[in-house]
Amino acid sequence: MTVPEPDQPKSLRDPAALAARRALVEAPHIAPLRALARRIAAERGAPVPDPDPLDGGVAARLLLLLETPGPAIFRTGFVSRDNATGTAANLFRFLAEAGIARSDTVIWNAVPWVIHAEGALNRAPRRTELRAAEPYLAPLLDRLPDLAVVVLAGRFAGEARGAITHLRPALPVVDVPHPSPTYVCTAPTVPARIRAGLAEAAVILRTSRQGTS
């Protein structure tokens, strides 16, 4: 089944689009990451969203690490730029502006399991949760052998920099502000910093591809 890439944000609010996306969840490029999500969910006793099957999966060259799954995952089951949230819509636009191919990306969370009750507002992760999540970075990176760059979105995702650098010392890591409307609307410098960080990541992707061609 072939599903075209959405050209507008929030496409997963459409039940037909969501059903088409769910029909792709058994795709081979997603299977190892879904298996990791299931393992984490079982060990933590909390839902873990699947990565979006329209993204690159295990062939991704850019890992975008957000902070925690938001409330939208209870409806879609995906961590996706196409969820019907302000954060996802901002991410959709920023990635498109940067010219980063969707097939080059995979989106994950620093704390990959849901930390808030269904129906409650999301909250920032606690330090204990970040520490509990850190051991899952190694199996995540093991499933992403082609990574050329990691983008850490937000202060809490930034806490993963040390562990990622330890696991893959040569892997470039770029920090950007979180794309939540709460942060993006605070000052013009915030979207400018997101654009600058993603532009830097795009250059790394192009350079790394040229180096292997």
Side-chain angles (χ1 to χ4, degrees):
M1 179 179 182
T2 301
V3 175
E5 288 189 16
D7 59 4
Q8 295 294 325
K10 300 188 179 182
S11 60
L12 290 182
R13 65 186 169 190
D14 176 6
L18 179 57
R21 198 73 53 93
R22 286 176 173 164
L24 302 176
V25 295
E26 300 296 337
H29 73 292
I30 285 295
L33 295 172
R34 289 191 77 222
L36 177 60
R38 296 298 179 272
R39 171 188 150 192
I40 297 170
E43 292 178 359
R44 305 308 308 182
V48 177
D50 290 328
D52 192 325
L54 283 194
D55 293 348
V58 295
R61 301 170 60 238
L62 183 153
L63 167 63
L64 177 64
L65 201 65
L66 298 170
E67 295 184 343
T68 64
I73 75 99
F74 286 110
R75 192 180 80 81
T76 69
F78 294 119
V79 54
S80 172
R81 75 194 74 190
D82 298 321
N83 281 332
T85 67
T87 294
N90 284 338
L91 193 56
F92 183 102
R93 295 185 183 102
F94 285 130
L95 287 166
E97 287 176 11
I100 295 171
R102 186 160 190 155
S103 59
D104 275 338
T105 66
V106 66
I107 304 173
W108 197 258
N109 285 288
V111 178
W113 61 91
V114 176
I115 61 173
H116 58 279
E118 186 170 359
L121 294 176
N122 203 6
R123 61 169 174 82
R126 301 185 179 101
R127 298 289 175 183
T128 53
E129 290 164 334
L130 289 167
R131 287 195 294 271
E134 193 171 285
Y136 296 115
L137 286 171
L140 173 63
L141 294 180
D142 286 345
R143 287 162 171 78
L144 301 170
D146 298 328
L147 275 187
V149 62
V150 176
V151 175
L152 305 177
R155 180 165 59 95
F156 291 98
E159 298 285 335
R161 174 181 277 273
I164 291 170
T165 300
H166 174 74
L167 292 164
R168 294 233 195 141
L171 184 62
V173 179
V174 177
D175 292 278
V176 300
H178 196 278
S180 165
T182 304
Y183 300 117
V184 168
C185 293
T186 56
T189 56
V190 175
R193 287 167 55 203
I194 294 174
R195 290 186 176 100
L198 291 178
E200 179 184 348
V203 170
I204 293 169
L205 289 175
R206 288 195 298 272
T207 303
S208 66
R209 193 181 293 280
Q210 291 166 359
T212 58
S213 61

